Each structure stands twice: as C-alpha cells, then as structure tokens.
Amino acid sequence: MSEALTLIGHPRAGSRTGALARAVATAIGGSVPGLDEWRTLELAEVVQVRIAGQPDDRPTPPATGDDPFTLVKSARLVVVATPSFKGTYTGLLKAFIDLLPPGHLGETVVVPIAVAGSDAHVQSTSDTLRAVLVEVGATVPVVLGVPESALAESDAIAQKFVADRAAEIARALA
C-alpha cells in the first residue's frame, strides 16, 4: 500500500509541472510525519494521447502491472498537478478523474497544484480542479496555484508552500 502519490496530469512526461509536483511531495514528506513512501504516476505514461507539436514516435508506456486507479485509492495523500489548458485542468486529467468510481477518493487527502500562464487561469484552474476533486470525494485542505513564469523556482515555491500549509495538510490526514 502506497502512503502517498504524486499524480501528474500533464500530457508530456517529464514536464516542469511534474517537477513542481515532485518538489511539493518531497517537501510534504519532510514536514508531515508518516508519509515516507511516495510513488509517482505520470498520466502521460498511462493514457496515450497526442498533443500538437508532439512527435508521432512516442514511447510505449512501461508495463508496470500497477493499476493507476488502485494506486490512487491506496494513497493516504495524493499531490495532483496539472497545467492549465484553455483555463482549466487538462483533458487527460479530466478523463482519468471521470473514470474514478463514485466515492473512490472518499478517504483520500488531495493537494492540487495548478500551473497557468496568467493569474486568471491560475485561479480558474485551481477552482475547477478543487471542485472536481471534492465531487469525487477527496478532502482538499489546500490548493497551490503557480504562474508558469515562476516554475524556475519550483523548489523554493514548494518549500514555502509546505512551510505555510503543512499543519493544514497534517490535520486533514489525522
């Protein structure tokens, strides 16, 4: 059973959004007791999609045998990150969330991260992502919204966010 999971909804594996999510997960792991086992699930490696400008020779995802829905269900905490596409979270993440059974996240604390090019899209993506996660049963104590222009400072952003919000995350997990 995985204690915590980083779920990355970017359609390209290895994205800056994913790097921010991993930095937040690392910071949470260092600040919130009991979260010593972390796994990462890149939806781009699980769900095959093609986005504009992406080469046709995408690698085949590794056959890990791990069911992504079981990984999400078994985590106490999920850090879910997405860039903003057209003012909301990605269709890739939406498709994944739509396939979750009702109540699937009923015992899961989720910390959403929204990355966007403008402040308006940071806010709208944060709001819609929080709303859909609550709809599928997640407890969402905090949300991190980050402008794309700040991604070079991912580690510092993650450290500050967790320093400011670790108590809220810990209370939600209690």
Side-chain angles (χ1 to χ4, degrees):
M1 178 169 177
S2 179
E3 289 288 333
L5 178 72
T6 306
L7 175 65
I8 302 165
H10 197 292
R12 182 178 39 79
S15 66
R16 296 180 305 159
T17 299
L20 174 61
R22 285 185 289 279
V24 169
T26 298
I28 291 171
S31 298
V32 178
L35 296 174
D36 20 357
E37 183 186 341
W38 283 86
R39 298 206 45 190
T40 297
L41 177 61
E42 291 251 14
L43 290 181
E45 295 175 345
V46 176
V47 180
Q48 291 294 294
V49 295
R50 186 175 187 286
I51 58 175
Q54 191 175 45
D56 289 331
D57 59 344
R58 292 195 63 197
T60 304
T64 62
D66 292 329
D67 173 45
F69 301 106
T70 301
L71 289 175
V72 170
K73 177 68 173 172
S74 66
R76 289 180 54 219
L77 175 72
V78 176
V79 172
V80 59
T82 183
S84 177
F85 281 4
K86 300 183 180 179
T88 191
Y89 48 90
T90 63
L92 177 63
L93 183 57
K94 172 69 169 145
F96 183 79
I97 292 170
D98 282 350
L99 293 172
L100 292 174
H104 195 73
L105 297 180
E107 297 178 20
T108 307
V109 174
V110 178
V111 175
I113 301 171
V115 176
S118 72
D119 289 342
H121 284 176
V122 167
Q123 188 63 51
S124 67
T125 302
S126 296
D127 291 346
T128 56
L129 184 54
R130 175 191 278 262
V132 74
L133 291 166
V134 168
E135 180 64 27
V136 294
T139 299
V140 182
V142 295
V143 178
L144 173 60
V146 177
E148 220 174 85
S149 60
L151 286 176
E153 303 298 322
S154 288
D155 289 336
I157 291 167
Q159 291 297 324
K160 179 172 180 3
F161 173 73
V162 173
D164 293 346
R165 302 301 183 119
E168 292 170 80
I169 296 167
R171 271 194 305 276
L173 286 165

